[in-house]
Amino acid sequence: MTDSPRIDTHCPYCALQCAMTIENGRVSPREFPTNRGGLCQKGWTSAELLTSPKRLTTPLVRRDGELRPASWDEALDLVADKLRELREVHGPDSVGVFGGGGLTNEKSYLLGKFARVALGTSQIDYNGRFCMSSAAAAGMKAFGLDRGMPFPVTDLDNAGAILLVGGNPAETMPPFVQHLRNAELIVIDPRRTATAELATLHLQPAPGTDLALALGLLHTAVADGYLDKQYLSDRTTGFDDAWRIAATWWPERVERVTGVPVADQRAAVRILAEAANAYILTGRGTEQHASGADTVSAWINLAMALGLPGTKGSGYGCLTGQGNGQGGREHGQKADQLPGYRKIDDPAAREHIQGIWGVDDLPGPGRSAYELLDALGQPDGPKALLVFGSNVIVSAPRSQHVADRLKALDLLVVADLVLSDTAAVADVVLPITQWAEESGTMTNLEGRVLLRQVAVAPPEGVRSDLDVMQGLATRLGQPAERFPTEPEVVFEELRRASEGGLADYSGVTYERLRQGEALHWPVVEESTPRNFLDRFAHADGMARFIPVEHRGPAELPDADYPLQATTGRVLQHYQSGAQTRLVRELNQAEPEAYVEVHPDTAVRAGLGNGQLAAVVSRRGRTLARVRCVPSMLIDVVFLPFHYAGDGRANLLTNPVLDPTSRMPEFKVCAVRLESV
Ligand code: SF4
């Protein structure tokens, strides 16, 4: 790739969406509020995949058990014929669609429309269900609106104190850490992570006990006289019910359940409450539990007791993970949602969207992500699945079971830029364009809409997801103009569809974005960088305390499985690793699955540093190399979830779901260690 023009764009990976310039096939960082000229190792090396020999450039169709090259017409005709046949025999819900939080806003929007209009199916959900859903559900309950971080990232620069629970940005999004440097930082994490190393105070609860800790910190806040009574009466309702439960979580009880010393509980509350400006931020570590939504509600309750949300210079926010984790959950690729963050069972929402799409009716709510995967190939479940921007064989919980379900399908279609682990078992693989080869908008972790522009020409033979949707829709009898392929045209329709919804993009235009305007939604005319300063989004303008009780992990250690496993990320890899494992420098740095173990635990299991171990749960067995880490809790092991094959951490994880968000319990399950 030579002599390509200098184009401003944003990183293809996480939700910080660092600004970069791409020229002659090389990226360089660009000044922008979120990254201030910084990039992490993933961002610096992101251009490598544009010219990777692993890149798919022709459709593949499985014949005689092998994936073989095919023309686009052959591949799309085959898929459309099979979908038509399945729908005729089994009905429209026999086809499922699985989207992703890395898809642009335009793709997320058109995918929801494609599923519900062209396929007529209710069976659509996306991998963001595995990522942000607990925080989203809790934010909706408390504030009436889910904008993960309802203030610009740069507001954190002026914080006196920040409590960060279950997040490790020093590895997941390193340039973000510069926004934490001026504050006294309290980190809550069962591991002593790179972020915990930067903290003033590190609380190290046992996995799955965060809810008890949040209740305990609320108890301490009240007992130590930090309750903001004026804020409670002016801006919230429901404190008394929440307090009735927190009142029973006195510090010594919290210490017994969580392992966090009383003195540390009190210090955390004091630092937070006595700072002039303070924030509570949550990440996946506290959210990915079967009690994830309630756990986030407990942290929001604490934030409200201290008078933080919706206050200038203070607040609550969650750290969105995937590149378009925020936008990806607003435009209708969720099982229960229509564009504009509208509920699919709301008659007024349905009527509005039916009017925009020119249809008389729409399917109702479908299954959540894991329930959809679990139903594949079953008598009442989908017989075909179309996957866009997701690698479920690595990223879904109980992943061997998911792989077996995929095998039970009549048709698996995967649109991806490389032969991901899921694409490798598909019947049809469709090669698609990637970030720098297409335009489209992303909404970053602070609700800011960003425009990615075409920086390089795509390789011959690939098409965009929008082309794929139109190609299939027209073969299924839809008019081509109902499924535009030009991102700006799709965005114009998205604007109208979002109008009047919670996530209102009606005032966002490509033109305004090209001019560099900072547009945080909702945008009718003006941008809203900070939500809730005057009122929360509930009809009465008040935020709600949500009474929640502690529930421990669904699976506790026992004689057969005496340890607890928790999972997370490393600096060099992104999500399922389908992209970053193909980047030479990243793969060299972290090439294989590993398990962090306390040295005494390793000795007890007859293992030494660097030895290959089997980590075994009730659902599977993962092979990982032992890293002895003295700061690990003695009965806890940690595995990164970016690896494929026998190294999949999700072979172990428990798919028990949060009753509200349908989030699986990724962050804790019972395991044992064996030598191999
Ligand atoms: Fe920035 Fe995230 Fe990309 Fe790293 S992966 S460069 S932190 S956007």
Side-chain angles (χ1 to χ4, degrees):
M1 191 187 307
T2 53
D3 296 333
S4 61
R6 184 181 168 83
I7 300 285
D8 289 346
T9 186
H10 293 268
C11 176
Y13 299 121
C14 87
L16 198 59
Q17 285 295 291
C18 295
M20 53 171 58
T21 297
I22 182 162
E23 184 179 25
N24 297 333
R26 296 176 70 86
V27 301
S28 51
R30 185 162 59 86
E31 200 55 36
F32 194 68
T34 62
N35 61 308
R36 292 210 181 104
L39 290 179
C40 78
Q41 201 176 357
K42 298 182 284 286
W44 274 109
T45 55
S46 57
E48 190 176 316
L49 266 187
L50 294 169
T51 52
S52 168
K54 299 278 188 185
R55 189 71 190 280
L56 295 173
T57 54
T58 181
L60 303 171
V61 170
R62 192 169 295 280
R63 294 198 175 98
D64 303 324
E66 299 281 324
L67 282 172
R68 299 181 195 279
S71 72
W72 272 98
D73 277 343
E74 278 177 289
L76 293 178
D77 286 348
L78 185 155
V79 173
D81 288 348
K82 190 69 187 171
L83 295 180
R84 202 178 300 112
E85 180 191 318
L86 288 169
R87 289 168 59 206
E88 277 166 14
V89 176
H90 302 286
D93 277 357
S94 63
V95 180
V97 177
F98 203 95
L103 300 177
T104 61
N105 290 320
E106 292 78 359
K107 294 178 183 183
S108 306
Y109 170 80
L110 207 69
L111 193 61
K113 181 179 179 185
F114 170 75
R116 296 183 176 105
V117 175
L119 301 174
T121 183
S122 67
Q123 300 297 296
I124 174 170
D125 211 44
Y126 81 129
N127 66 17
R129 183 75 64 180
F130 298 156
C131 188
M132 293 293 306
S133 58
S134 291
M140 288 298 273
K141 281 187 186 180
F143 309 128
L145 182 82
D146 155 40
R147 201 183 93 186
M149 193 178 273
F151 46 81
V153 163
T154 45
D155 282 8
L156 298 171
D157 297 340
N158 300 316
I162 297 173
L163 184 151
L164 170 60
V165 52
N168 183 18
E171 293 207 63
T172 57
M173 48 177 71
F176 176 81
V177 170
Q178 62 193 308
H179 301 290
L180 308 177
R181 290 212 186 274
N182 295 330
E184 285 203 83
L185 180 64
I186 307 153
V187 170
I188 299 179
D189 200 305
R191 294 170 65 218
R192 188 149 183 90
T193 60
T195 310
E197 290 286 349
L198 304 172
T200 306
L201 182 63
H202 174 208
L203 310 187
Q204 203 169 1
T209 64
D210 300 37
L211 214 169
L213 183 56
L215 289 164
L217 296 192
L218 175 57
H219 182 109
T220 296
V222 174
D224 289 1
Y226 293 119
L227 192 63
D228 188 337
K229 291 179 183 157
Q230 191 66 51
Y231 176 91
L232 254 52
S233 74
D234 290 351
R235 308 232 30 207
T236 70
T237 61
F239 173 75
D240 290 347
D241 288 342
W243 170 245
R244 253 189 290 282
I245 299 169
T248 68
W249 283 92
W250 56 91
E252 292 76 12
R253 182 185 179 199
V254 173
E255 179 172 334
R256 274 199 304 278
V257 172
T258 67
V260 175
V262 170
D264 285 353
Q265 296 173 45
R266 296 193 66 199
V269 171
R270 179 179 46 73
I271 291 169
L272 204 57
E274 292 186 356
N277 298 97
Y279 292 85
I280 293 180
L281 304 176
T282 61
R284 300 305 82 71
T286 203
E287 298 164 11
Q288 290 179 317
H289 294 273
S291 58
D294 282 358
T295 303
V296 179
S297 289
W299 293 116
I300 294 175
N301 288 348
L302 173 65
M304 292 196 297
L306 298 175
L308 308 182
T311 305
K312 199 161 184 297
S314 294
Y316 160 78
C318 78
L319 293 181
T320 304
Q322 294 195 80
N324 200 25
Q326 179 69 54
R329 65 184 190 264
E330 298 164 355
H331 307 302
Q333 62 173 328
K334 284 173 74 177
D336 46 359
Q337 191 198 73
L338 291 173
Y341 221 131
R342 291 178 162 91
K343 288 190 164 138
I344 199 166
D345 51 7
D346 172 3
R350 295 173 67 83
E351 196 179 327
H352 172 73
I353 297 300
Q354 283 166 201
I356 300 284
W357 289 352
V359 295
D360 295 332
D361 199 13
L362 291 170
R367 293 177 170 93
S368 75
Y370 182 76
E371 290 162 298
L372 174 60
L373 295 172
D374 189 32
L376 297 177
Q378 304 310 293
D380 63 343
K383 312 284 184 272
L385 185 72
L386 281 61
V387 180
F388 291 81
S390 196
N391 187 17
V392 293
I393 276 191
V394 176
S395 61
R398 197 188 176 194
S399 56
Q400 191 52 46
H401 176 73
V402 169
D404 291 342
R405 289 292 198 243
L406 293 176
K407 276 190 215 148
L409 287 167
D410 291 359
L411 178 71
L412 174 62
V413 181
V414 175
D416 212 324
L417 53 121
V418 293
L419 196 67
S420 70
D421 312 276
T422 307
V425 300
D427 301 296
V428 178
V429 182
L430 303 172
I432 54 141
T433 47
Q434 59 173 312
W435 117 101
E437 301 160 353
E438 55 188 17
S439 59
T441 59
M442 308 284 279
T443 303
N444 77 355
L445 78 171
E446 49 180 10
R448 177 169 171 165
V449 188
L450 308 166
L451 179 61
R452 283 187 188 162
Q453 312 188 73
V454 177
V456 298
E460 203 173 326
V462 307
R463 295 185 183 179
S464 92
D465 295 289
L466 300 177
D467 287 308
V468 170
M469 288 179 233
Q470 188 192 62
L472 289 174
T474 51
R475 282 168 172 80
L476 293 168
Q478 293 289 320
E481 58 274 18
R482 191 174 262 170
F483 293 91
T485 57
E486 182 55 47
E488 191 165 354
V489 176
V490 177
F491 191 80
E492 285 301 305
E493 188 181 304
L494 179 159
R495 287 176 59 203
R496 288 190 293 120
S498 75
E499 191 170 2
L502 286 175
D504 191 330
Y505 281 51
S506 58
V508 183
T509 65
Y510 270 39
E511 197 45 45
R512 291 181 77 175
L513 295 172
R514 282 191 191 105
Q515 286 169 7
E517 273 195 75
L519 297 175
H520 301 252
W521 71 257
V523 186
V524 178
E525 286 175 9
E526 299 298 315
S527 169
T528 314
R530 294 171 189 84
N531 305 110
F532 314 140
L533 285 184
D534 300 325
R535 63 193 312 280
F536 293 98
H538 288 301
D540 61 3
M542 306 287 265
R544 308 266 188 278
F545 276 89
I546 306 297
V548 289
E549 181 52 283
H550 174 64
R551 305 191 297 280
E555 191 174 69
L556 291 169
D558 59 18
D560 292 332
Y561 302 95
L563 306 172
Q564 287 185 304
T566 189
T567 65
R569 298 154 207 261
V570 302
L571 172 65
Q572 287 82 4
H573 291 299
Y574 177 67
Q575 300 295 86
S576 76
Q579 293 149 280
T580 49
R581 281 186 273 117
L582 299 180
V583 175
R584 192 175 48 88
E585 183 181 320
L586 302 179
N587 197 47
Q588 274 177 356
E590 284 294 1
E592 61 176 357
Y594 65 85
V595 55
E596 287 185 1
V597 186
H598 189 281
D600 294 351
T601 309
V603 168
R604 257 180 13 228
L607 291 162
N609 201 29
Q611 208 173 325
L612 196 62
V615 188
V616 185
S617 80
R618 287 184 176 80
R619 290 154 296 278
R621 182 174 189 269
T622 297
L623 297 181
R625 204 159 293 283
V626 172
R627 287 188 188 174
C628 289
V629 177
S631 62
M632 284 297 290
L633 292 172
I634 195 106
D635 291 326
V636 176
V637 302
F638 165 80
L639 300 102
F641 56 67
H642 312 290
Y643 298 98
D646 292 341
R648 279 175 288 167
N650 279 318
L651 289 167
L652 309 171
T653 47
N654 189 351
V656 59
L657 301 180
D658 180 286
T660 308
S661 65
R662 318 308 284 165
M663 166 71 83
E665 186 143 273
F666 285 105
K667 282 293 184 267
V668 55
C669 67
V671 298
R672 67 169 174 265
L673 285 173
E674 293 175 355
S675 56
V676 176

